[in-house]
Amino acid sequence: GENVEQHPSTLSVQEGDSAVIKCTYSDSASNYFPWYKQELGKRPQLIIDIRSNVGEKKDQRIAVTLNKTAKHFSLHITETQPEDSAVYFCAASFSGNTPLVFGKGTRLSVIA
Amino acid sequence: NAGVTQTPKFQVLKTGQSMTLQCAQDMNHEYMSWYRQDPGMGLRLIHYSVGAGITDQGEVPNGYNVSRSTTEDFPLRLLSAAPSQTSVYFCASSVDSVMYFGPGTRLTVT
């Protein structure tokens, strides 16, 4: 089955700097790659996703890149702010009716 | 739309007790799933369902049962609670792979 590895497990950045979180997946058939943000005590919430027919997607300060050949995808957050501090999870799946497999998460701390 | 709802929010059980975590969604999603979240372990899939009457096991199904008699409801049953089942449980529903989580149930087994 699918296996998703996520790095780093913790990341501290200065406010205004960029943050990058990387994930690799094992199943070359996977074609959907979402990123979730989880604040303390809250549910995970989808912040951006990418499907295998595109290589990059942006939404304001966040972007995701996908390299299907290397089987890895990354989350980029620019101009970080204290409210970006949270745990971020990457995930992968093959289709709408197959399970979403999550990475173990990255705890991002943005230092003011 | 209420989205995905879960009850209870918190629960304390003694070892050996049984209980059902409730999950409901009003978005008419066919796909529903249960995850548990433990520190440093991410979100691990317990069971999932692709539609009413169809369920399947995920990564960590032991000690849990599910059923799906309607599109809206997907309860998770703990048969005989163990301290190892202390966790936060999230129910989710999805359409076209996009997953929406419920608010979670924090379960402590003593």
Side-chain angles (χ1 to χ4, degrees), chain A residues 31-34 36 46 49-51 91-100 102, chain B residues 31 35 93-100:
Chain A
N31 59 12
Y32 176 67
F33 308 94
Y36 284 81
L46 179 70
D49 58 8
I50 191 168
R51 296 182 192 265
S93 74
F94 169 58
S95 76
N97 278 351
T98 59
L100 202 52
F102 286 84
Chain B
Y31 187 97
Y35 289 85
S93 71
S94 69
V95 61
D96 195 22
S97 301
V98 180
M99 186 166 285
Y100 302 89

Side-chain angles (χ1 to χ4, degrees), chain B residues 76-87:
Chain B
L76 178 73
R77 295 182 189 83
L78 280 71
L79 309 172
S80 177
S84 61
Q85 293 179 304
T86 293
S87 189

Side-chain angles (χ1 to χ4, degrees), chain A residues 27-95:
Chain A
D27 190 344
S28 57
S30 289
N31 59 12
Y32 176 67
F33 308 94
W35 286 88
Y36 284 81
K37 175 183 180 182
Q38 186 179 30
E39 297 175 346
L40 191 63
K42 301 285 182 65
R43 74 189 82 185
Q45 298 217 301
L46 179 70
I47 56 171
I48 194 167
D49 58 8
I50 191 168
R51 296 182 192 265
S52 60
N53 56 346
V54 296
E56 183 176 2
K57 185 176 177 181
K58 280 186 179 181
D59 183 2
Q60 298 183 339
R61 296 187 296 108
I62 60 173
V64 57
T65 58
L66 172 64
N67 183 327
K68 286 224 74 178
T69 304
K71 290 190 283 188
H72 67 70
F73 56 112
S74 301
L75 177 71
H76 305 253
I77 306 174
T78 59
E79 300 172 22
T80 53
Q81 300 167 4
E83 52 264 38
D84 294 328
S85 295
V87 178
Y88 291 81
F89 293 97
C90 63
S93 74
F94 169 58
S95 76

Side-chain angles (χ1 to χ4, degrees), chain B residues 26-104:
Chain B
D26 61 0
M27 298 175 282
N28 203 34
H29 291 169
E30 292 293 333
Y31 187 97
M32 296 185 73
S33 52
W34 277 100
Y35 289 85
R36 61 176 288 174
Q37 185 173 31
D38 303 293
M41 299 296 291
L43 293 150
R44 293 184 293 168
L45 182 66
I46 305 171
H47 286 284
Y48 66 100
S49 169
V50 299
I54 306 168
T55 62
D56 207 345
Q57 296 182 351
E59 180 187 354
V60 289
N62 291 345
Y64 308 95
N65 270 359
V66 292
S67 60
R68 185 92 180 273
S69 56
T70 67
T71 300
E72 295 77 22
D73 300 298
F74 191 42
L76 178 73
R77 295 182 189 83
L78 280 71
L79 309 172
S80 177
S84 61
Q85 293 179 304
T86 293
S87 189
V88 179
Y89 291 85
F90 287 101
C91 178
S93 71
S94 69
V95 61
D96 195 22
S97 301
V98 180
M99 186 166 285
Y100 302 89
F101 284 90

